[in-house]
Amino acid sequence: MLEKTGVATQEDLALVMPSKERLAKGAVAVIECFQRIPCNPCYTSCKRGAIIEFKDINDRPIINADKCNGCGICVSNCPGLAIVVVDETYSDTEALVKIPYEFLPLPQEGGYVTGLDREGKPVCRAKVVKVLNTKAQDRTPVVSLAVPKELSMVVRCMSLDDFYSDNTMVCRCEEVTLGEVRELIRKGYHTIDEIKRISRAGMGPCQGRTCRQLIMQELARATNQKMSEMPMSTFRPPAKPIKLGAVISSLGGGECNE
Ligand code: SF4
Ligand code: SF4
């Protein structure tokens, strides 16, 4: 799968994920470099000896996570953009993810961008905490993003486009925008059921299949809650309008064209 799509599978990732215990101690590099290629700047740039010495230039990098302090030097030196640093101790609700970013313009510190997953799909709004650009020709700028903690192992890239502007339509069935949801949160409605009942977001035919998750993300971000600990809305199957005649005939009432 990786060879065909360039996107690592969960099995690939399981081989390189730091342990929960190590993540709980602070920032650590996650090296998502899965193929044997003649390349070793990650090893030569790490002054802490956290990347185990290559016996062969084609070796895949192996990290001794206990020696890594998450400095990010290897992120900037890796030509394959295969390394990120993850700090799950950044705050109660957010993780800091340092990602390599090769496009111009660079984002502004303090601004917001859209966090993308390994396939380039938008997954969250992320705050730009720091932009490190040494301007050395062979170094990649490193952008530190604050992302929802549960997405620390999901966000691996970013887009300057704000997919999460106030005009973004979160509930297409009932035409509710993200701006309207944000306004309700500002007014003190802090559960998804409250927002659903007032705005009707999630009450259309799809019963919240898309908007539920988006509203939960916005609520979590705005109220510093963990999505996993927030109350969910009532789940109902998707609804589809049917003719009254179909109901009558299903009750044995014979043919009806109304
Ligand atoms: S983040 Fe710093 S300490 Fe960790 S492996 Fe990279 S260069 Fe070494
Ligand atoms: S520098 Fe990057 S691409 Fe090269 S071996 Fe190290 S992690 Fe892989």
Side-chain angles (χ1 to χ4, degrees):
M1 178 65 106
L2 178 71
E3 288 78 11
K4 282 190 182 162
T5 64
V7 180
T9 63
Q10 289 306 313
E11 291 74 37
D12 298 320
L13 296 170
L15 300 173
V16 299
M17 285 298 126
S19 66
K20 278 191 178 157
E21 293 73 26
R22 176 60 190 84
L23 286 167
K25 289 181 185 165
V28 64
V30 181
I31 306 183
E32 300 183 8
C33 179
F34 298 104
Q35 291 183 304
R36 285 176 57 79
I37 49 171
C39 181
N40 72 353
C42 50
Y43 162 64
T44 55
S45 66
C46 179
K47 303 301 174 220
R48 295 178 65 88
I51 295 175
I52 294 168
E53 184 177 356
F54 285 30
K55 297 271 186 298
D56 178 321
I57 185 79
N58 293 296
D59 282 352
R60 284 176 49 192
I62 298 172
I63 188 168
N64 178 344
D66 290 330
K67 286 190 177 177
C68 173
N69 67 353
C71 67
I73 291 172
C74 57
V75 178
S76 155
N77 278 269
C78 168
L81 312 187
I83 311 177
V84 298
V85 166
V86 172
D87 183 0
E88 292 197 346
T89 65
Y90 177 66
S91 82
D92 285 348
T93 55
E94 291 177 312
L96 196 71
V97 182
K98 296 181 186 176
I99 60 167
Y101 188 74
E102 283 192 324
F103 298 97
L104 290 174
L106 289 169
Q108 296 288 319
E109 289 182 3
Y112 284 86
V113 295
T114 299
L116 308 176
D117 68 9
R118 292 177 182 83
E119 294 179 59
K121 289 191 201 134
V123 289
C124 67
R125 203 165 189 242
K127 183 169 185 179
V128 180
V129 176
K130 192 166 183 183
V131 178
L132 190 67
N133 183 12
T134 67
K135 297 199 171 69
Q137 276 193 336
D138 57 349
R139 302 282 185 278
T140 303
V142 177
V143 179
S144 299
L145 298 176
V147 305
K149 197 171 279 200
E150 58 272 23
L151 297 179
S152 68
M153 292 302 168
V154 174
V155 175
R156 288 297 177 266
C157 195
M158 50 153 276
S159 165
L160 291 180
D161 294 335
D162 188 356
F163 292 100
Y164 297 89
S165 75
D166 278 355
N167 294 329
T168 304
M169 193 66 76
V170 286
C171 174
R172 281 176 291 178
C173 302
E174 298 294 329
E175 298 191 347
V176 180
T177 64
L178 191 55
E180 290 172 75
V181 171
R182 286 179 178 150
E183 182 57 25
L184 289 173
I185 296 173
R186 272 194 289 275
K187 286 181 177 169
Y189 299 105
H190 287 175
T191 69
I192 189 157
D193 267 341
E194 287 172 326
I195 291 172
K196 177 176 161 180
R197 284 174 189 143
I198 291 173
S199 69
R200 289 195 55 81
M203 293 173 99
C206 89
Q207 284 291 303
R209 281 165 71 98
T210 308
C211 63
R212 184 186 300 120
Q213 204 64 13
L214 295 172
I215 296 172
M216 291 286 283
Q217 276 177 15
E218 188 59 26
L219 262 172
R221 194 189 62 75
T223 60
N224 274 342
Q225 298 183 77
K226 287 184 186 163
M227 276 174 70
S228 54
E229 294 172 4
M230 291 163 59
M232 255 295 169
S233 61
T234 314
F235 281 84
R236 294 194 177 88
K240 184 178 159 201
I242 58 168
K243 289 187 173 175
L244 198 53
V247 177
I248 293 169
S249 55
S250 75
L251 296 174
E255 290 287 315
C256 178
N257 294 325
E258 292 303 317

